[in-house]
Amino acid sequence: MGAEVFYTREKGKSPDDAFWKAVEKANDLHGNGGYTGTIAEKCEFTMIALPANETPLAFAERLIDAEDPRVDDKWGPAGCIMVAPGEFLFFGWASS
């Protein structure tokens, strides 16, 4: 079994609300049989603060490239960056 990098933006009342909306949408699109390489494979996330003067996607890509331990496990939590109030970017590795 392999792993795929995913990046998913979702809106919600809270990071938790947005996360479960994103998981549900991924399940609808890819099925819930497992190994989709999407956020559907995740059951938790870790909030990561966005540094000043960096875009959310570029920062997420940098963390993936650097093998940051917070997001470098296909079985571990997704990373979550607040993009704007009520909007979040989830990212990481997922089993495929």
Side-chain angles (χ1 to χ4, degrees):
M1 301 291 159
E4 299 287 329
V5 173
F6 69 90
Y7 301 93
T8 304
R9 282 176 90 136
E10 188 60 64
K11 293 181 179 181
K13 297 175 200 164
S14 66
D16 196 57
D17 179 53
F19 176 76
W20 291 110
K21 283 181 183 179
V23 168
E24 185 176 334
K25 285 180 181 179
N27 277 323
D28 289 346
L29 288 172
H30 303 282
N32 57 6
Y35 302 102
T36 63
T38 71
I39 194 171
E41 306 310 318
K42 298 297 183 178
C43 59
E44 61 183 333
F45 62 91
T46 298
M47 289 297 302
I48 301 173
L50 180 65
N53 301 321
E54 193 150 13
T55 65
L57 183 57
F59 180 54
E61 289 173 337
R62 188 164 58 83
L63 293 177
I64 294 291
D65 291 345
E67 299 177 359
D68 187 289
R70 296 173 289 183
V71 296
D72 196 43
D73 183 355
K74 69 180 179 180
W75 304 114
C80 177
I81 298 170
M82 186 167 71
V83 173
E87 186 173 1
F88 306 89
L89 172 66
F90 298 98
F91 63 98
W93 289 94
S95 59
S96 62

mmCIF file of all heavy atoms in Angstrom, residues 23-61:
data_model
loop_
_atom_site.group_PDB
_atom_site.id
_atom_site.type_symbol
_atom_site.label_atom_id
_atom_site.label_comp_id
_atom_site.label_asym_id
_atom_site.label_seq_id
_atom_site.Cartn_x
_atom_site.Cartn_y
_atom_site.Cartn_z
ATOM 1 N N VAL A 23 -14.052 15.415 5.117
ATOM 2 C CA VAL A 23 -13.995 13.942 5.131
ATOM 3 C C VAL A 23 -15.241 13.368 4.465
ATOM 4 O O VAL A 23 -15.153 12.458 3.631
ATOM 5 C CB VAL A 23 -13.833 13.413 6.577
ATOM 6 C CG1 VAL A 23 -14.056 11.908 6.631
ATOM 7 C CG2 VAL A 23 -12.464 13.770 7.133
ATOM 8 N N GLU A 24 -16.404 13.917 4.802
ATOM 9 C CA GLU A 24 -17.648 13.428 4.221
ATOM 10 C C GLU A 24 -17.681 13.620 2.704
ATOM 11 O O GLU A 24 -18.079 12.724 1.953
ATOM 12 C CB GLU A 24 -18.838 14.137 4.864
ATOM 13 C CG GLU A 24 -20.179 13.599 4.401
ATOM 14 C CD GLU A 24 -21.347 14.255 5.114
ATOM 15 O OE1 GLU A 24 -21.190 14.731 6.238
ATOM 16 O OE2 GLU A 24 -22.435 14.284 4.498
ATOM 17 N N LYS A 25 -17.243 14.789 2.243
ATOM 18 C CA LYS A 25 -17.202 15.043 0.794
ATOM 19 C C LYS A 25 -16.252 14.071 0.096
ATOM 20 O O LYS A 25 -16.556 13.558 -0.978
ATOM 21 C CB LYS A 25 -16.773 16.476 0.508
ATOM 22 C CG LYS A 25 -17.847 17.499 0.771
ATOM 23 C CD LYS A 25 -17.350 18.902 0.455
ATOM 24 C CE LYS A 25 -18.392 19.953 0.741
ATOM 25 N NZ LYS A 25 -17.890 21.316 0.457
ATOM 26 N N ALA A 26 -15.097 13.820 0.692
ATOM 27 C CA ALA A 26 -14.133 12.882 0.096
ATOM 28 C C ALA A 26 -14.713 11.472 0.058
ATOM 29 O O ALA A 26 -14.521 10.749 -0.927
ATOM 30 C CB ALA A 26 -12.815 12.915 0.864
ATOM 31 N N ASN A 27 -15.411 11.079 1.111
ATOM 32 C CA ASN A 27 -16.063 9.761 1.102
ATOM 33 C C ASN A 27 -17.106 9.679 -0.005
ATOM 34 O O ASN A 27 -17.217 8.653 -0.685
ATOM 35 C CB ASN A 27 -16.717 9.468 2.459
ATOM 36 C CG ASN A 27 -15.745 8.920 3.463
ATOM 37 O OD1 ASN A 27 -14.852 8.140 3.128
ATOM 38 N ND2 ASN A 27 -15.903 9.315 4.707
ATOM 39 N N ASP A 28 -17.879 10.749 -0.189
ATOM 40 C CA ASP A 28 -18.882 10.769 -1.253
ATOM 41 C C ASP A 28 -18.240 10.649 -2.631
ATOM 42 O O ASP A 28 -18.755 9.955 -3.509
ATOM 43 C CB ASP A 28 -19.718 12.048 -1.190
ATOM 44 C CG ASP A 28 -20.668 12.078 -0.002
ATOM 45 O OD1 ASP A 28 -20.890 11.028 0.630
ATOM 46 O OD2 ASP A 28 -21.182 13.180 0.305
ATOM 47 N N LEU A 29 -17.111 11.326 -2.825
ATOM 48 C CA LEU A 29 -16.440 11.325 -4.130
ATOM 49 C C LEU A 29 -15.637 10.058 -4.408
ATOM 50 O O LEU A 29 -15.551 9.608 -5.547
ATOM 51 C CB LEU A 29 -15.502 12.532 -4.247
ATOM 52 C CG LEU A 29 -16.169 13.886 -4.410
ATOM 53 C CD1 LEU A 29 -15.131 14.995 -4.308
ATOM 54 C CD2 LEU A 29 -16.890 13.967 -5.745
ATOM 55 N N HIS A 30 -15.013 9.500 -3.362
ATOM 56 C CA HIS A 30 -14.061 8.404 -3.564
ATOM 57 C C HIS A 30 -14.486 7.093 -2.921
ATOM 58 O O HIS A 30 -13.749 6.112 -2.986
ATOM 59 C CB HIS A 30 -12.688 8.810 -3.013
ATOM 60 C CG HIS A 30 -12.161 10.060 -3.629
ATOM 61 N ND1 HIS A 30 -11.594 10.099 -4.885
ATOM 62 C CD2 HIS A 30 -12.140 11.345 -3.181
ATOM 63 C CE1 HIS A 30 -11.241 11.336 -5.173
ATOM 64 N NE2 HIS A 30 -11.556 12.115 -4.160
ATOM 65 N N GLY A 31 -15.628 7.080 -2.259
ATOM 66 C CA GLY A 31 -16.075 5.880 -1.565
ATOM 67 C C GLY A 31 -15.440 5.791 -0.196
ATOM 68 O O GLY A 31 -14.510 6.520 0.132
ATOM 69 N N ASN A 32 -15.960 4.891 0.611
ATOM 70 C CA ASN A 32 -15.423 4.735 1.954
ATOM 71 C C ASN A 32 -14.794 3.366 2.153
ATOM 72 O O ASN A 32 -14.777 2.833 3.254
ATOM 73 C CB ASN A 32 -16.494 5.025 3.014
ATOM 74 C CG ASN A 32 -17.722 4.157 2.858
ATOM 75 O OD1 ASN A 32 -17.756 3.262 2.031
ATOM 76 N ND2 ASN A 32 -18.725 4.425 3.655
ATOM 77 N N GLY A 33 -14.239 2.826 1.081
ATOM 78 C CA GLY A 33 -13.596 1.518 1.149
ATOM 79 C C GLY A 33 -12.163 1.570 1.633
ATOM 80 O O GLY A 33 -11.530 0.549 1.832
ATOM 81 N N GLY A 34 -11.640 2.757 1.830
ATOM 82 C CA GLY A 34 -10.273 2.904 2.314
ATOM 83 C C GLY A 34 -9.272 3.069 1.187
ATOM 84 O O GLY A 34 -9.572 2.829 0.019
ATOM 85 N N TYR A 35 -8.096 3.524 1.565
ATOM 86 C CA TYR A 35 -6.958 3.665 0.637
ATOM 87 C C TYR A 35 -7.270 4.576 -0.545
ATOM 88 O O TYR A 35 -6.903 4.296 -1.673
ATOM 89 C CB TYR A 35 -6.477 2.292 0.178
ATOM 90 C CG TYR A 35 -6.074 1.421 1.331
ATOM 91 C CD1 TYR A 35 -6.921 0.422 1.801
ATOM 92 C CD2 TYR A 35 -4.861 1.618 1.977
ATOM 93 C CE1 TYR A 35 -6.558 -0.363 2.885
ATOM 94 C CE2 TYR A 35 -4.493 0.841 3.063
ATOM 95 C CZ TYR A 35 -5.342 -0.142 3.511
ATOM 96 O OH TYR A 35 -4.979 -0.910 4.589
ATOM 97 N N THR A 36 -7.938 5.699 -0.276
ATOM 98 C CA THR A 36 -8.296 6.632 -1.350
ATOM 99 C C THR A 36 -7.214 7.671 -1.624
ATOM 100 O O THR A 36 -7.288 8.372 -2.624
ATOM 101 C CB THR A 36 -9.589 7.394 -0.991
ATOM 102 O OG1 THR A 36 -9.348 8.178 0.187
ATOM 103 C CG2 THR A 36 -10.750 6.451 -0.770
ATOM 104 N N GLY A 37 -6.266 7.820 -0.704
ATOM 105 C CA GLY A 37 -5.247 8.854 -0.860
ATOM 106 C C GLY A 37 -5.788 10.249 -0.624
ATOM 107 O O GLY A 37 -5.202 11.228 -1.081
ATOM 108 N N THR A 38 -6.902 10.347 0.094
ATOM 109 C CA THR A 38 -7.552 11.634 0.351
ATOM 110 C C THR A 38 -7.749 11.845 1.851
ATOM 111 O O THR A 38 -7.472 10.960 2.663
ATOM 112 C CB THR A 38 -8.937 11.703 -0.327
ATOM 113 O OG1 THR A 38 -9.835 10.826 0.381
ATOM 114 C CG2 THR A 38 -8.874 11.315 -1.793
ATOM 115 N N ILE A 39 -8.307 12.969 2.184
ATOM 116 C CA ILE A 39 -8.614 13.269 3.576
ATOM 117 C C ILE A 39 -9.606 12.261 4.162
ATOM 118 O O ILE A 39 -9.712 12.129 5.384
ATOM 119 C CB ILE A 39 -9.135 14.721 3.727
ATOM 120 C CG1 ILE A 39 -9.117 15.146 5.199
ATOM 121 C CG2 ILE A 39 -10.484 14.881 3.063
ATOM 122 C CD1 ILE A 39 -9.391 16.606 5.431
ATOM 123 N N ALA A 40 -10.289 11.512 3.312
ATOM 124 C CA ALA A 40 -11.233 10.491 3.796
ATOM 125 C C ALA A 40 -10.548 9.465 4.687
ATOM 126 O O ALA A 40 -11.205 8.818 5.503
ATOM 127 C CB ALA A 40 -11.902 9.785 2.616
ATOM 128 N N GLU A 41 -9.249 9.321 4.567
ATOM 129 C CA GLU A 41 -8.507 8.335 5.370
ATOM 130 C C GLU A 41 -8.126 8.858 6.753
ATOM 131 O O GLU A 41 -7.560 8.122 7.556
ATOM 132 C CB GLU A 41 -7.233 7.900 4.637
ATOM 133 C CG GLU A 41 -7.467 7.392 3.231
ATOM 134 C CD GLU A 41 -8.567 6.350 3.146
ATOM 135 O OE1 GLU A 41 -8.628 5.462 4.021
ATOM 136 O OE2 GLU A 41 -9.393 6.439 2.225
ATOM 137 N N LYS A 42 -8.418 10.116 7.026
ATOM 138 C CA LYS A 42 -8.004 10.739 8.288
ATOM 139 C C LYS A 42 -9.144 10.764 9.302
ATOM 140 O O LYS A 42 -10.317 10.874 8.934
ATOM 141 C CB LYS A 42 -7.519 12.170 8.043
ATOM 142 C CG LYS A 42 -6.306 12.252 7.127
ATOM 143 C CD LYS A 42 -5.118 11.562 7.754
ATOM 144 C CE LYS A 42 -3.874 11.680 6.919
ATOM 145 N NZ LYS A 42 -2.724 11.056 7.552
ATOM 146 N N CYS A 43 -8.779 10.683 10.580
ATOM 147 C CA CYS A 43 -9.782 10.771 11.645
ATOM 148 C C CYS A 43 -9.440 11.873 12.645
ATOM 149 O O CYS A 43 -10.155 12.063 13.618
ATOM 150 C CB CYS A 43 -9.957 9.427 12.346
ATOM 151 S SG CYS A 43 -8.461 8.799 13.084
ATOM 152 N N GLU A 44 -8.342 12.592 12.389
ATOM 153 C CA GLU A 44 -7.971 13.704 13.252
ATOM 154 C C GLU A 44 -7.060 14.655 12.488
ATOM 155 O O GLU A 44 -6.572 14.329 11.408
ATOM 156 C CB GLU A 44 -7.288 13.223 14.528
ATOM 157 C CG GLU A 44 -6.005 12.461 14.286
ATOM 158 C CD GLU A 44 -5.380 11.928 15.567
ATOM 159 O OE1 GLU A 44 -5.591 12.515 16.640
ATOM 160 O OE2 GLU A 44 -4.666 10.929 15.481
ATOM 161 N N PHE A 45 -6.860 15.826 13.077
ATOM 162 C CA PHE A 45 -5.994 16.821 12.463
ATOM 163 C C PHE A 45 -5.235 17.570 13.542
ATOM 164 O O PHE A 45 -5.613 17.559 14.715
ATOM 165 C CB PHE A 45 -6.796 17.803 11.594
ATOM 166 C CG PHE A 45 -7.803 18.611 12.356
ATOM 167 C CD1 PHE A 45 -7.462 19.845 12.890
ATOM 168 C CD2 PHE A 45 -9.091 18.143 12.545
ATOM 169 C CE1 PHE A 45 -8.386 20.590 13.601
ATOM 170 C CE2 PHE A 45 -10.032 18.875 13.253
ATOM 171 C CZ PHE A 45 -9.669 20.106 13.782
ATOM 172 N N THR A 46 -4.151 18.237 13.119
ATOM 173 C CA THR A 46 -3.333 19.058 13.998
ATOM 174 C C THR A 46 -3.333 20.477 13.460
ATOM 175 O O THR A 46 -3.009 20.682 12.284
ATOM 176 C CB THR A 46 -1.880 18.523 14.032
ATOM 177 O OG1 THR A 46 -1.889 17.206 14.557
ATOM 178 C CG2 THR A 46 -0.987 19.404 14.859
ATOM 179 N N MET A 47 -3.697 21.436 14.308
ATOM 180 C CA MET A 47 -3.657 22.840 13.899
ATOM 181 C C MET A 47 -2.203 23.298 13.848
ATOM 182 O O MET A 47 -1.412 22.997 14.748
ATOM 183 C CB MET A 47 -4.414 23.728 14.891
ATOM 184 C CG MET A 47 -5.914 23.558 14.861
ATOM 185 S SD MET A 47 -6.720 24.018 13.302
ATOM 186 C CE MET A 47 -6.253 25.716 13.083
ATOM 187 N N ILE A 48 -1.871 24.013 12.774
ATOM 188 C CA ILE A 48 -0.522 24.547 12.588
ATOM 189 C C ILE A 48 -0.669 26.021 12.230
ATOM 190 O O ILE A 48 -1.383 26.362 11.283
ATOM 191 C CB ILE A 48 0.237 23.780 11.485
ATOM 192 C CG1 ILE A 48 0.331 22.291 11.852
ATOM 193 C CG2 ILE A 48 1.612 24.390 11.256
ATOM 194 C CD1 ILE A 48 0.907 21.405 10.773
ATOM 195 N N ALA A 49 0.003 26.872 12.994
ATOM 196 C CA ALA A 49 -0.092 28.317 12.758
ATOM 197 C C ALA A 49 0.627 28.705 11.475
ATOM 198 O O ALA A 49 1.727 28.226 11.201
ATOM 199 C CB ALA A 49 0.501 29.074 13.936
ATOM 200 N N LEU A 50 -0.001 29.566 10.713
ATOM 201 C CA LEU A 50 0.580 30.072 9.465
ATOM 202 C C LEU A 50 1.549 31.203 9.784
ATOM 203 O O LEU A 50 1.158 32.206 10.390
ATOM 204 C CB LEU A 50 -0.532 30.574 8.545
ATOM 205 C CG LEU A 50 -0.108 31.141 7.199
ATOM 206 C CD1 LEU A 50 0.533 30.066 6.330
ATOM 207 C CD2 LEU A 50 -1.314 31.754 6.494
ATOM 208 N N PRO A 51 2.806 31.071 9.382
ATOM 209 C CA PRO A 51 3.760 32.170 9.610
ATOM 210 C C PRO A 51 3.372 33.408 8.798
ATOM 211 O O PRO A 51 2.753 33.302 7.739
ATOM 212 C CB PRO A 51 5.095 31.614 9.107
ATOM 213 C CG PRO A 51 4.915 30.141 9.018
ATOM 214 C CD PRO A 51 3.453 29.917 8.771
ATOM 215 N N ALA A 52 3.756 34.553 9.302
ATOM 216 C CA ALA A 52 3.510 35.804 8.575
ATOM 217 C C ALA A 52 4.229 35.761 7.231
ATOM 218 O O ALA A 52 5.267 35.111 7.088
ATOM 219 C CB ALA A 52 4.008 36.984 9.398
ATOM 220 N N ASN A 53 3.653 36.416 6.255
ATOM 221 C CA ASN A 53 4.253 36.544 4.920
ATOM 222 C C ASN A 53 4.395 35.217 4.184
ATOM 223 O O ASN A 53 5.303 35.057 3.365
ATOM 224 C CB ASN A 53 5.614 37.253 4.994
ATOM 225 C CG ASN A 53 5.498 38.626 5.603
ATOM 226 O OD1 ASN A 53 4.535 39.342 5.337
ATOM 227 N ND2 ASN A 53 6.444 38.987 6.434
ATOM 228 N N GLU A 54 3.529 34.252 4.469
ATOM 229 C CA GLU A 54 3.565 32.981 3.736
ATOM 230 C C GLU A 54 2.134 32.597 3.370
ATOM 231 O O GLU A 54 1.212 32.793 4.157
ATOM 232 C CB GLU A 54 4.217 31.887 4.591
ATOM 233 C CG GLU A 54 4.568 30.670 3.786
ATOM 234 C CD GLU A 54 5.773 29.919 4.324
ATOM 235 O OE1 GLU A 54 6.214 30.178 5.447
ATOM 236 O OE2 GLU A 54 6.244 29.049 3.587
ATOM 237 N N THR A 55 1.951 32.064 2.169
ATOM 238 C CA THR A 55 0.617 31.634 1.771
ATOM 239 C C THR A 55 0.347 30.247 2.351
ATOM 240 O O THR A 55 1.281 29.458 2.548
ATOM 241 C CB THR A 55 0.474 31.580 0.237
ATOM 242 O OG1 THR A 55 1.339 30.575 -0.277
ATOM 243 C CG2 THR A 55 0.785 32.942 -0.393
ATOM 244 N N PRO A 56 -0.919 29.929 2.620
ATOM 245 C CA PRO A 56 -1.233 28.631 3.215
ATOM 246 C C PRO A 56 -0.737 27.440 2.387
ATOM 247 O O PRO A 56 -0.132 26.518 2.932
ATOM 248 C CB PRO A 56 -2.757 28.642 3.315
ATOM 249 C CG PRO A 56 -3.108 30.086 3.408
ATOM 250 C CD PRO A 56 -2.109 30.782 2.529
ATOM 251 N N LEU A 57 -0.983 27.458 1.081
ATOM 252 C CA LEU A 57 -0.572 26.322 0.262
ATOM 253 C C LEU A 57 0.946 26.183 0.199
ATOM 254 O O LEU A 57 1.486 25.085 0.332
ATOM 255 C CB LEU A 57 -1.159 26.418 -1.145
ATOM 256 C CG LEU A 57 -0.846 25.232 -2.068
ATOM 257 C CD1 LEU A 57 -1.323 23.918 -1.471
ATOM 258 C CD2 LEU A 57 -1.452 25.448 -3.430
ATOM 259 N N ALA A 58 1.652 27.279 0.024
ATOM 260 C CA ALA A 58 3.117 27.219 -0.033
ATOM 261 C C ALA A 58 3.690 26.697 1.287
ATOM 262 O O ALA A 58 4.627 25.892 1.292
ATOM 263 C CB ALA A 58 3.703 28.586 -0.359
ATOM 264 N N PHE A 59 3.110 27.141 2.402
ATOM 265 C CA PHE A 59 3.568 26.670 3.708
ATOM 266 C C PHE A 59 3.291 25.173 3.871
ATOM 267 O O PHE A 59 4.154 24.410 4.312
ATOM 268 C CB PHE A 59 2.893 27.477 4.818
ATOM 269 C CG PHE A 59 3.298 27.069 6.200
ATOM 270 C CD1 PHE A 59 4.635 27.026 6.579
ATOM 271 C CD2 PHE A 59 2.339 26.741 7.142
ATOM 272 C CE1 PHE A 59 5.004 26.655 7.870
ATOM 273 C CE2 PHE A 59 2.687 26.385 8.431
ATOM 274 C CZ PHE A 59 4.024 26.335 8.792
ATOM 275 N N ALA A 60 2.097 24.730 3.479
ATOM 276 C CA ALA A 60 1.757 23.306 3.565
ATOM 277 C C ALA A 60 2.708 22.471 2.702
ATOM 278 O O ALA A 60 3.199 21.423 3.139
ATOM 279 C CB ALA A 60 0.309 23.083 3.136
ATOM 280 N N GLU A 61 2.977 22.933 1.497
ATOM 281 C CA GLU A 61 3.904 22.214 0.618
ATOM 282 C C GLU A 61 5.299 22.149 1.228
ATOM 283 O O GLU A 61 5.979 21.122 1.136
ATOM 284 C CB GLU A 61 3.954 22.879 -0.758
ATOM 285 C CG GLU A 61 2.687 22.679 -1.549
ATOM 286 C CD GLU A 61 2.642 23.476 -2.839
ATOM 287 O OE1 GLU A 61 3.349 24.515 -2.959
ATOM 288 O OE2 GLU A 61 1.876 23.075 -3.737
#
